[in-house]
Amino acid sequence: MPRVLAKPDTLNELNENFQQHRLEQPVFLNSVPKCGTHLLRNIFRMFVPVDQQYHEQFIQIPVLNQHLKAFDQAQPKLSWGHLLFSDTSAMALHHVKHIVVVRDPFDWVLARARFFLSDNFQGNMENLKSGRVSVEEVLNMMIFGIYQKAPTLSEIFTHNATAWLGTGIQLVRYEDVIKHLKALDKPEAEIYFKELLSGLNLPEWPSDWRERVETGSDREQSGTYRDNLKNTAFEIPNELPDIQKQLVEYAAPGLRRLLGYY
């Protein structure tokens, strides 16, 4: 199994700075890998008591049956993971508030490449860090997959996101979160975060919501934030090159529009 090395955060301790209300319904933060999973998780953690946060496991299909208690109606928890669409996962999430986080596939290719090439990721792709392949080749591998090693962009988005559409999930775009984080003083930000966190069914909107969001979104608290990834082997561009953009559209036609990216 691949391993992710990330420094621990201190958010459980910081959670004590805020008055918390008990969850009345399980909430699951599901996401396409490399779509701001830790950012969303950490923001939500500032609005939920620590003892109602499920820290035992990052929930995925291989371990789902061992962690069904995360979705127990009688003992509601906030949990998170990358849970593929399937009959077992759909049944597990019955009556659970289900949030699915996505990212523009153009930016996702860059984020995935940056992560795979960092020392924080340890898996069966160490040869990519050797310098014997070009950045452009790595980007294409992120789009089309690596034979018997890594799935394609289309496969990942299909099973982690698009197959969940139309089932009552709350779709969250990573870019919208970032937009409002950059303008927390604006009235639009309060409207946005109220809606984002509506699944927690807070009895009242806390007056210190901005401080909570700022605390949870602190980049130093996320070991997988791009600036916290160590020893990236290549200089990954800030924008996907035009030819790779065309390849994304070829590999997953209609995906960006379906997810709200125009």
Side-chain angles (χ1 to χ4, degrees):
M1 288 283 289
R3 296 177 61 221
V4 178
L5 305 179
K7 65 179 182 180
D9 61 56
T10 61
L11 293 179
N12 284 352
E13 291 80 6
L14 294 174
N15 178 283
E16 298 177 0
N17 296 333
F18 308 107
Q19 182 179 355
Q20 305 295 350
H21 295 280
R22 307 295 294 177
L23 277 180
E24 297 180 355
Q25 176 188 16
V27 177
F28 181 61
L29 302 176
N30 200 0
S31 64
V32 175
K34 304 316 303 169
C35 287
T37 305
H38 288 81
L39 172 63
L40 264 292
R41 179 197 69 172
N42 291 349
I43 291 173
F44 270 74
R45 285 170 61 193
M46 293 300 97
F47 293 81
V48 176
V50 172
D51 69 332
Q52 285 193 302
Q53 299 175 20
Y54 194 78
H55 289 278
E56 274 191 48
Q57 182 62 256
F58 194 86
I59 301 174
Q60 302 184 69
I61 282 287
V63 298
L64 175 59
N65 287 334
Q66 287 77 52
H67 296 277
L68 293 175
K69 59 185 176 182
F71 311 125
D72 186 353
Q73 300 290 312
Q75 297 182 329
K77 293 284 195 299
L78 169 69
S79 57
W80 42 80
H82 303 314
L83 200 51
L84 303 175
F85 180 79
S86 72
D87 54 347
T88 54
S89 53
M91 288 187 290
L93 295 177
H94 194 53
H95 295 314
V96 174
K97 176 62 180 178
H98 185 188
I99 298 166
V100 176
V101 187
V102 298
R103 186 177 196 159
D104 187 333
F106 287 171
D107 292 331
W108 178 88
V109 171
L110 298 171
R112 191 189 193 198
R114 192 176 293 113
F115 181 63
F116 278 179
L117 292 173
S118 74
D119 287 345
N120 299 66
F121 178 81
Q122 295 184 354
N124 60 349
M125 288 174 281
E126 299 301 308
N127 57 328
L128 294 184
K129 305 174 187 180
S130 67
R132 296 171 62 187
V133 294
S134 68
V135 171
E136 293 76 16
E137 288 169 331
V138 171
L139 295 178
N140 284 8
M141 291 176 198
M142 301 302 100
I143 298 169
F144 295 105
I146 305 175
Y147 180 63
Q148 295 186 336
K149 291 185 177 182
T152 68
L153 175 152
S154 179
E155 290 170 331
I156 291 175
F157 273 85
T158 293
H159 298 296
N160 284 280
T162 57
W164 286 111
L165 297 178
T167 65
I169 60 98
Q170 178 183 351
L171 184 69
V172 174
R173 298 178 190 86
Y174 170 77
E175 292 79 9
D176 293 337
V177 179
I178 297 301
K179 170 187 173 183
H180 291 291
L181 280 177
K182 291 180 177 179
L184 273 181
D185 59 328
K186 303 292 185 183
E188 293 82 2
E190 183 169 10
I191 294 171
Y192 177 79
F193 282 103
K194 271 187 179 180
E195 175 60 27
L196 176 67
L197 296 153
S198 61
L200 300 178
N201 292 318
L202 299 174
E204 59 183 18
W205 185 238
S207 59
D208 58 1
W209 70 271
R210 285 188 178 87
E211 185 181 354
R212 296 174 189 241
V213 171
E214 287 176 335
T215 300
S217 62
D218 182 356
R219 294 170 177 176
E220 292 302 315
Q221 298 286 354
S222 175
T224 58
Y225 175 67
R226 59 177 291 179
D227 289 351
N228 294 335
L229 297 179
K230 298 184 181 301
N231 298 326
T232 300
F234 298 99
E235 188 67 35
I236 305 297
N238 290 323
E239 182 177 350
L240 196 66
D242 287 342
I243 183 59
Q244 273 75 30
K245 288 180 179 179
Q246 296 177 48
L247 292 176
V248 168
E249 300 289 10
Y250 169 81
L255 174 62
R256 295 184 71 247
R257 175 173 289 273
L258 181 64
L259 296 178
Y261 298 102
Y262 299 98

PDB file of all heavy atoms in Angstrom, residues 213-243:
ATOM      1  N   VAL A 213     -12.692  29.259  10.690  1.00  0.00           N
ATOM      2  CA  VAL A 213     -12.297  28.945   9.315  1.00  0.00           C
ATOM      3  C   VAL A 213     -10.819  29.256   9.106  1.00  0.00           C
ATOM      4  O   VAL A 213     -10.088  28.475   8.478  1.00  0.00           O
ATOM      5  CB  VAL A 213     -13.171  29.724   8.311  1.00  0.00           C
ATOM      6  CG1 VAL A 213     -12.616  29.585   6.890  1.00  0.00           C
ATOM      7  CG2 VAL A 213     -14.617  29.230   8.361  1.00  0.00           C
ATOM      8  N   GLU A 214     -10.362  30.379   9.612  1.00  0.00           N
ATOM      9  CA  GLU A 214      -8.947  30.733   9.480  1.00  0.00           C
ATOM     10  C   GLU A 214      -8.048  29.709  10.175  1.00  0.00           C
ATOM     11  O   GLU A 214      -6.993  29.341   9.659  1.00  0.00           O
ATOM     12  CB  GLU A 214      -8.699  32.127  10.063  1.00  0.00           C
ATOM     13  CG  GLU A 214      -9.250  33.258   9.197  1.00  0.00           C
ATOM     14  CD  GLU A 214      -9.067  34.618   9.837  1.00  0.00           C
ATOM     15  OE1 GLU A 214      -8.961  34.675  11.085  1.00  0.00           O
ATOM     16  OE2 GLU A 214      -9.051  35.619   9.109  1.00  0.00           O
ATOM     17  N   THR A 215      -8.469  29.249  11.342  1.00  0.00           N
ATOM     18  CA  THR A 215      -7.687  28.258  12.081  1.00  0.00           C
ATOM     19  C   THR A 215      -7.613  26.950  11.308  1.00  0.00           C
ATOM     20  O   THR A 215      -6.534  26.366  11.128  1.00  0.00           O
ATOM     21  CB  THR A 215      -8.311  28.011  13.466  1.00  0.00           C
ATOM     22  OG1 THR A 215      -8.328  29.232  14.208  1.00  0.00           O
ATOM     23  CG2 THR A 215      -7.513  26.959  14.231  1.00  0.00           C
ATOM     24  N   GLY A 216      -8.744  26.471  10.817  1.00  0.00           N
ATOM     25  CA  GLY A 216      -8.773  25.212  10.084  1.00  0.00           C
ATOM     26  C   GLY A 216      -8.053  25.266   8.753  1.00  0.00           C
ATOM     27  O   GLY A 216      -7.496  24.257   8.302  1.00  0.00           O
ATOM     28  N   SER A 217      -8.049  26.437   8.140  1.00  0.00           N
ATOM     29  CA  SER A 217      -7.438  26.557   6.810  1.00  0.00           C
ATOM     30  C   SER A 217      -5.976  26.978   6.850  1.00  0.00           C
ATOM     31  O   SER A 217      -5.358  27.187   5.798  1.00  0.00           O
ATOM     32  CB  SER A 217      -8.223  27.573   5.965  1.00  0.00           C
ATOM     33  OG  SER A 217      -8.185  28.870   6.552  1.00  0.00           O
ATOM     34  N   ASP A 218      -5.400  27.074   8.042  1.00  0.00           N
ATOM     35  CA  ASP A 218      -3.990  27.430   8.184  1.00  0.00           C
ATOM     36  C   ASP A 218      -3.132  26.422   7.415  1.00  0.00           C
ATOM     37  O   ASP A 218      -3.171  25.221   7.689  1.00  0.00           O
ATOM     38  CB  ASP A 218      -3.612  27.433   9.661  1.00  0.00           C
ATOM     39  CG  ASP A 218      -2.166  27.843   9.908  1.00  0.00           C
ATOM     40  OD1 ASP A 218      -1.421  28.060   8.930  1.00  0.00           O
ATOM     41  OD2 ASP A 218      -1.783  27.929  11.095  1.00  0.00           O
ATOM     42  N   ARG A 219      -2.359  26.884   6.473  1.00  0.00           N
ATOM     43  CA  ARG A 219      -1.556  25.989   5.634  1.00  0.00           C
ATOM     44  C   ARG A 219      -0.554  25.173   6.442  1.00  0.00           C
ATOM     45  O   ARG A 219      -0.184  24.065   6.046  1.00  0.00           O
ATOM     46  CB  ARG A 219      -0.819  26.810   4.568  1.00  0.00           C
ATOM     47  CG  ARG A 219      -1.760  27.475   3.565  1.00  0.00           C
ATOM     48  CD  ARG A 219      -1.009  28.455   2.688  1.00  0.00           C
ATOM     49  NE  ARG A 219      -1.879  29.039   1.673  1.00  0.00           N
ATOM     50  CZ  ARG A 219      -1.510  29.982   0.826  1.00  0.00           C
ATOM     51  NH1 ARG A 219      -0.275  30.466   0.896  1.00  0.00           N
ATOM     52  NH2 ARG A 219      -2.351  30.457  -0.071  1.00  0.00           N
ATOM     53  N   GLU A 220      -0.124  25.711   7.549  1.00  0.00           N
ATOM     54  CA  GLU A 220       0.851  24.991   8.365  1.00  0.00           C
ATOM     55  C   GLU A 220       0.237  23.747   9.020  1.00  0.00           C
ATOM     56  O   GLU A 220       0.954  22.869   9.485  1.00  0.00           O
ATOM     57  CB  GLU A 220       1.415  25.914   9.451  1.00  0.00           C
ATOM     58  CG  GLU A 220       2.289  27.036   8.912  1.00  0.00           C
ATOM     59  CD  GLU A 220       3.476  26.513   8.116  1.00  0.00           C
ATOM     60  OE1 GLU A 220       4.125  25.559   8.594  1.00  0.00           O
ATOM     61  OE2 GLU A 220       3.745  27.040   7.028  1.00  0.00           O
ATOM     62  N   GLN A 221      -1.093  23.692   9.044  1.00  0.00           N
ATOM     63  CA  GLN A 221      -1.764  22.549   9.641  1.00  0.00           C
ATOM     64  C   GLN A 221      -2.034  21.437   8.636  1.00  0.00           C
ATOM     65  O   GLN A 221      -2.576  20.395   8.994  1.00  0.00           O
ATOM     66  CB  GLN A 221      -3.102  22.991  10.272  1.00  0.00           C
ATOM     67  CG  GLN A 221      -2.968  23.995  11.399  1.00  0.00           C
ATOM     68  CD  GLN A 221      -2.455  23.368  12.673  1.00  0.00           C
ATOM     69  OE1 GLN A 221      -2.298  22.159  12.778  1.00  0.00           O
ATOM     70  NE2 GLN A 221      -2.171  24.189  13.676  1.00  0.00           N
ATOM     71  N   SER A 222      -1.678  21.651   7.377  1.00  0.00           N
ATOM     72  CA  SER A 222      -1.912  20.641   6.342  1.00  0.00           C
ATOM     73  C   SER A 222      -0.592  20.127   5.802  1.00  0.00           C
ATOM     74  O   SER A 222       0.125  20.849   5.097  1.00  0.00           O
ATOM     75  CB  SER A 222      -2.739  21.232   5.188  1.00  0.00           C
ATOM     76  OG  SER A 222      -2.873  20.294   4.140  1.00  0.00           O
ATOM     77  N   GLY A 223      -0.283  18.881   6.106  1.00  0.00           N
ATOM     78  CA  GLY A 223       0.981  18.302   5.662  1.00  0.00           C
ATOM     79  C   GLY A 223       1.041  18.064   4.178  1.00  0.00           C
ATOM     80  O   GLY A 223       2.130  17.880   3.620  1.00  0.00           O
ATOM     81  N   THR A 224      -0.116  18.060   3.492  1.00  0.00           N
ATOM     82  CA  THR A 224      -0.115  17.806   2.053  1.00  0.00           C
ATOM     83  C   THR A 224      -0.361  19.065   1.241  1.00  0.00           C
ATOM     84  O   THR A 224      -0.550  18.991   0.028  1.00  0.00           O
ATOM     85  CB  THR A 224      -1.188  16.756   1.690  1.00  0.00           C
ATOM     86  OG1 THR A 224      -2.469  17.223   2.116  1.00  0.00           O
ATOM     87  CG2 THR A 224      -0.874  15.427   2.357  1.00  0.00           C
ATOM     88  N   TYR A 225      -0.381  20.249   1.893  1.00  0.00           N
ATOM     89  CA  TYR A 225      -0.458  21.492   1.135  1.00  0.00           C
ATOM     90  C   TYR A 225       0.785  21.602   0.262  1.00  0.00           C
ATOM     91  O   TYR A 225       1.881  21.196   0.665  1.00  0.00           O
ATOM     92  CB  TYR A 225      -0.563  22.689   2.085  1.00  0.00           C
ATOM     93  CG  TYR A 225      -0.515  24.019   1.381  1.00  0.00           C
ATOM     94  CD1 TYR A 225      -1.542  24.411   0.534  1.00  0.00           C
ATOM     95  CD2 TYR A 225       0.582  24.858   1.527  1.00  0.00           C
ATOM     96  CE1 TYR A 225      -1.491  25.623  -0.131  1.00  0.00           C
ATOM     97  CE2 TYR A 225       0.649  26.070   0.868  1.00  0.00           C
ATOM     98  CZ  TYR A 225      -0.396  26.451   0.040  1.00  0.00           C
ATOM     99  OH  TYR A 225      -0.328  27.654  -0.630  1.00  0.00           O
ATOM    100  N   ARG A 226       0.642  22.166  -0.928  1.00  0.00           N
ATOM    101  CA  ARG A 226       1.719  22.116  -1.916  1.00  0.00           C
ATOM    102  C   ARG A 226       3.034  22.697  -1.404  1.00  0.00           C
ATOM    103  O   ARG A 226       4.108  22.158  -1.689  1.00  0.00           O
ATOM    104  CB  ARG A 226       1.308  22.837  -3.202  1.00  0.00           C
ATOM    105  CG  ARG A 226       0.949  24.301  -3.050  1.00  0.00           C
ATOM    106  CD  ARG A 226       0.623  24.953  -4.389  1.00  0.00           C
ATOM    107  NE  ARG A 226       1.796  25.070  -5.231  1.00  0.00           N
ATOM    108  CZ  ARG A 226       1.768  25.587  -6.462  1.00  0.00           C
ATOM    109  NH1 ARG A 226       0.626  25.996  -6.988  1.00  0.00           N
ATOM    110  NH2 ARG A 226       2.869  25.676  -7.169  1.00  0.00           N
ATOM    111  N   ASP A 227       2.980  23.768  -0.621  1.00  0.00           N
ATOM    112  CA  ASP A 227       4.218  24.366  -0.113  1.00  0.00           C
ATOM    113  C   ASP A 227       4.852  23.534   0.998  1.00  0.00           C
ATOM    114  O   ASP A 227       6.001  23.774   1.369  1.00  0.00           O
ATOM    115  CB  ASP A 227       3.944  25.781   0.396  1.00  0.00           C
ATOM    116  CG  ASP A 227       3.667  26.754  -0.740  1.00  0.00           C
ATOM    117  OD1 ASP A 227       3.863  26.367  -1.912  1.00  0.00           O
ATOM    118  OD2 ASP A 227       3.224  27.887  -0.472  1.00  0.00           O
ATOM    119  N   ASN A 228       4.091  22.572   1.543  1.00  0.00           N
ATOM    120  CA  ASN A 228       4.635  21.714   2.593  1.00  0.00           C
ATOM    121  C   ASN A 228       5.162  20.386   2.066  1.00  0.00           C
ATOM    122  O   ASN A 228       5.697  19.589   2.822  1.00  0.00           O
ATOM    123  CB  ASN A 228       3.557  21.450   3.653  1.00  0.00           C
ATOM    124  CG  ASN A 228       3.171  22.717   4.413  1.00  0.00           C
ATOM    125  OD1 ASN A 228       3.962  23.647   4.508  1.00  0.00           O
ATOM    126  ND2 ASN A 228       1.967  22.749   4.934  1.00  0.00           N
ATOM    127  N   LEU A 229       5.004  20.149   0.759  1.00  0.00           N
ATOM    128  CA  LEU A 229       5.550  18.939   0.160  1.00  0.00           C
ATOM    129  C   LEU A 229       7.057  19.111   0.008  1.00  0.00           C
ATOM    130  O   LEU A 229       7.536  20.162  -0.431  1.00  0.00           O
ATOM    131  CB  LEU A 229       4.906  18.677  -1.201  1.00  0.00           C
ATOM    132  CG  LEU A 229       3.396  18.408  -1.181  1.00  0.00           C
ATOM    133  CD1 LEU A 229       2.883  18.198  -2.600  1.00  0.00           C
ATOM    134  CD2 LEU A 229       3.069  17.198  -0.315  1.00  0.00           C
ATOM    135  N   LYS A 230       7.799  18.076   0.335  1.00  0.00           N
ATOM    136  CA  LYS A 230       9.255  18.202   0.394  1.00  0.00           C
ATOM    137  C   LYS A 230       9.936  17.584  -0.829  1.00  0.00           C
ATOM    138  O   LYS A 230       9.536  16.543  -1.326  1.00  0.00           O
ATOM    139  CB  LYS A 230       9.784  17.530   1.666  1.00  0.00           C
ATOM    140  CG  LYS A 230       9.260  18.169   2.951  1.00  0.00           C
ATOM    141  CD  LYS A 230       9.870  17.533   4.167  1.00  0.00           C
ATOM    142  CE  LYS A 230       9.326  18.147   5.449  1.00  0.00           C
ATOM    143  NZ  LYS A 230       9.576  19.579   5.546  1.00  0.00           N
ATOM    144  N   ASN A 231      10.993  18.272  -1.276  1.00  0.00           N
ATOM    145  CA  ASN A 231      11.899  17.753  -2.300  1.00  0.00           C
ATOM    146  C   ASN A 231      11.204  17.319  -3.591  1.00  0.00           C
ATOM    147  O   ASN A 231      11.443  16.236  -4.115  1.00  0.00           O
ATOM    148  CB  ASN A 231      12.710  16.570  -1.744  1.00  0.00           C
ATOM    149  CG  ASN A 231      13.586  17.003  -0.586  1.00  0.00           C
ATOM    150  OD1 ASN A 231      14.080  18.123  -0.558  1.00  0.00           O
ATOM    151  ND2 ASN A 231      13.772  16.126   0.382  1.00  0.00           N
ATOM    152  N   THR A 232      10.300  18.167  -4.085  1.00  0.00           N
ATOM    153  CA  THR A 232       9.691  17.870  -5.367  1.00  0.00           C
ATOM    154  C   THR A 232      10.789  17.769  -6.419  1.00  0.00           C
ATOM    155  O   THR A 232      11.634  18.650  -6.541  1.00  0.00           O
ATOM    156  CB  THR A 232       8.681  18.969  -5.758  1.00  0.00           C
ATOM    157  OG1 THR A 232       7.665  19.013  -4.748  1.00  0.00           O
ATOM    158  CG2 THR A 232       8.054  18.677  -7.098  1.00  0.00           C
ATOM    159  N   ALA A 233      10.778  16.694  -7.179  1.00  0.00           N
ATOM    160  CA  ALA A 233      11.886  16.398  -8.092  1.00  0.00           C
ATOM    161  C   ALA A 233      11.911  17.319  -9.300  1.00  0.00           C
ATOM    162  O   ALA A 233      12.957  17.537  -9.892  1.00  0.00           O
ATOM    163  CB  ALA A 233      11.786  14.939  -8.547  1.00  0.00           C
ATOM    164  N   PHE A 234      10.755  17.842  -9.694  1.00  0.00           N
ATOM    165  CA  PHE A 234      10.682  18.678 -10.884  1.00  0.00           C
ATOM    166  C   PHE A 234      10.020  20.010 -10.552  1.00  0.00           C
ATOM    167  O   PHE A 234       9.329  20.142  -9.546  1.00  0.00           O
ATOM    168  CB  PHE A 234       9.847  17.991 -11.976  1.00  0.00           C
ATOM    169  CG  PHE A 234      10.424  16.687 -12.463  1.00  0.00           C
ATOM    170  CD1 PHE A 234       9.942  15.477 -11.977  1.00  0.00           C
ATOM    171  CD2 PHE A 234      11.426  16.663 -13.410  1.00  0.00           C
ATOM    172  CE1 PHE A 234      10.456  14.269 -12.420  1.00  0.00           C
ATOM    173  CE2 PHE A 234      11.951  15.465 -13.861  1.00  0.00           C
ATOM    174  CZ  PHE A 234      11.466  14.265 -13.366  1.00  0.00           C
ATOM    175  N   GLU A 235      10.205  20.956 -11.427  1.00  0.00           N
ATOM    176  CA  GLU A 235       9.503  22.226 -11.317  1.00  0.00           C
ATOM    177  C   GLU A 235       8.179  22.069 -12.061  1.00  0.00           C
ATOM    178  O   GLU A 235       8.129  22.095 -13.283  1.00  0.00           O
ATOM    179  CB  GLU A 235      10.338  23.357 -11.929  1.00  0.00           C
ATOM    180  CG  GLU A 235       9.762  24.739 -11.691  1.00  0.00           C
ATOM    181  CD  GLU A 235       9.793  25.134 -10.217  1.00  0.00           C
ATOM    182  OE1 GLU A 235      10.750  24.747  -9.521  1.00  0.00           O
ATOM    183  OE2 GLU A 235       8.846  25.819  -9.783  1.00  0.00           O
ATOM    184  N   ILE A 236       7.095  21.882 -11.306  1.00  0.00           N
ATOM    185  CA  ILE A 236       5.779  21.696 -11.906  1.00  0.00           C
ATOM    186  C   ILE A 236       5.217  23.066 -12.266  1.00  0.00           C
ATOM    187  O   ILE A 236       5.225  23.987 -11.439  1.00  0.00           O
ATOM    188  CB  ILE A 236       4.824  20.979 -10.932  1.00  0.00           C
ATOM    189  CG1 ILE A 236       5.434  19.654 -10.460  1.00  0.00           C
ATOM    190  CG2 ILE A 236       3.467  20.754 -11.581  1.00  0.00           C
ATOM    191  CD1 ILE A 236       5.659  18.660 -11.567  1.00  0.00           C
ATOM    192  N   PRO A 237       4.712  23.264 -13.473  1.00  0.00           N
ATOM    193  CA  PRO A 237       4.188  24.577 -13.859  1.00  0.00           C
ATOM    194  C   PRO A 237       2.962  24.950 -13.040  1.00  0.00           C
ATOM    195  O   PRO A 237       2.268  24.090 -12.488  1.00  0.00           O
ATOM    196  CB  PRO A 237       3.835  24.395 -15.342  1.00  0.00           C
ATOM    197  CG  PRO A 237       3.638  22.919 -15.509  1.00  0.00           C
ATOM    198  CD  PRO A 237       4.592  22.269 -14.557  1.00  0.00           C
ATOM    199  N   ASN A 238       2.683  26.245 -12.954  1.00  0.00           N
ATOM    200  CA  ASN A 238       1.516  26.730 -12.218  1.00  0.00           C
ATOM    201  C   ASN A 238       0.232  26.552 -13.017  1.00  0.00           C
ATOM    202  O   ASN A 238      -0.854  26.534 -12.438  1.00  0.00           O
ATOM    203  CB  ASN A 238       1.694  28.199 -11.848  1.00  0.00           C
ATOM    204  CG  ASN A 238       2.769  28.397 -10.785  1.00  0.00           C
ATOM    205  OD1 ASN A 238       2.915  27.581  -9.876  1.00  0.00           O
ATOM    206  ND2 ASN A 238       3.542  29.459 -10.910  1.00  0.00           N
ATOM    207  N   GLU A 239       0.367  26.445 -14.330  1.00  0.00           N
ATOM    208  CA  GLU A 239      -0.805  26.236 -15.191  1.00  0.00           C
ATOM    209  C   GLU A 239      -0.524  25.074 -16.126  1.00  0.00           C
ATOM    210  O   GLU A 239       0.589  24.941 -16.648  1.00  0.00           O
ATOM    211  CB  GLU A 239      -1.136  27.490 -15.997  1.00  0.00           C
ATOM    212  CG  GLU A 239      -2.375  27.338 -16.870  1.00  0.00           C
ATOM    213  CD  GLU A 239      -2.744  28.612 -17.614  1.00  0.00           C
ATOM    214  OE1 GLU A 239      -2.154  29.669 -17.302  1.00  0.00           O
ATOM    215  OE2 GLU A 239      -3.603  28.561 -18.508  1.00  0.00           O
ATOM    216  N   LEU A 240      -1.527  24.249 -16.351  1.00  0.00           N
ATOM    217  CA  LEU A 240      -1.369  23.104 -17.235  1.00  0.00           C
ATOM    218  C   LEU A 240      -1.115  23.585 -18.668  1.00  0.00           C
ATOM    219  O   LEU A 240      -1.844  24.447 -19.176  1.00  0.00           O
ATOM    220  CB  LEU A 240      -2.632  22.241 -17.194  1.00  0.00           C
ATOM    221  CG  LEU A 240      -2.513  20.825 -17.760  1.00  0.00           C
ATOM    222  CD1 LEU A 240      -1.564  19.989 -16.903  1.00  0.00           C
ATOM    223  CD2 LEU A 240      -3.889  20.162 -17.831  1.00  0.00           C
ATOM    224  N   PRO A 241      -0.095  23.066 -19.342  1.00  0.00           N
ATOM    225  CA  PRO A 241       0.172  23.468 -20.728  1.00  0.00           C
ATOM    226  C   PRO A 241      -1.020  23.167 -21.639  1.00  0.00           C
ATOM    227  O   PRO A 241      -1.821  22.265 -21.370  1.00  0.00           O
ATOM    228  CB  PRO A 241       1.388  22.606 -21.106  1.00  0.00           C
ATOM    229  CG  PRO A 241       2.055  22.302 -19.802  1.00  0.00           C
ATOM    230  CD  PRO A 241       0.944  22.159 -18.811  1.00  0.00           C
ATOM    231  N   ASP A 242      -1.132  23.929 -22.702  1.00  0.00           N
ATOM    232  CA  ASP A 242      -2.286  23.824 -23.593  1.00  0.00           C
ATOM    233  C   ASP A 242      -2.474  22.413 -24.142  1.00  0.00           C
ATOM    234  O   ASP A 242      -3.608  21.922 -24.235  1.00  0.00           O
ATOM    235  CB  ASP A 242      -2.152  24.814 -24.753  1.00  0.00           C
ATOM    236  CG  ASP A 242      -2.394  26.253 -24.315  1.00  0.00           C
ATOM    237  OD1 ASP A 242      -2.985  26.452 -23.232  1.00  0.00           O
ATOM    238  OD2 ASP A 242      -1.997  27.175 -25.048  1.00  0.00           O
ATOM    239  N   ILE A 243      -1.400  21.746 -24.516  1.00  0.00           N
ATOM    240  CA  ILE A 243      -1.549  20.412 -25.093  1.00  0.00           C
ATOM    241  C   ILE A 243      -2.110  19.440 -24.056  1.00  0.00           C
ATOM    242  O   ILE A 243      -2.959  18.583 -24.368  1.00  0.00           O
ATOM    243  CB  ILE A 243      -0.212  19.890 -25.681  1.00  0.00           C
ATOM    244  CG1 ILE A 243      -0.430  18.530 -26.351  1.00  0.00           C
ATOM    245  CG2 ILE A 243       0.856  19.830 -24.614  1.00  0.00           C
ATOM    246  CD1 ILE A 243      -1.429  18.525 -27.479  1.00  0.00           C
TER     247      ILE A 243
END
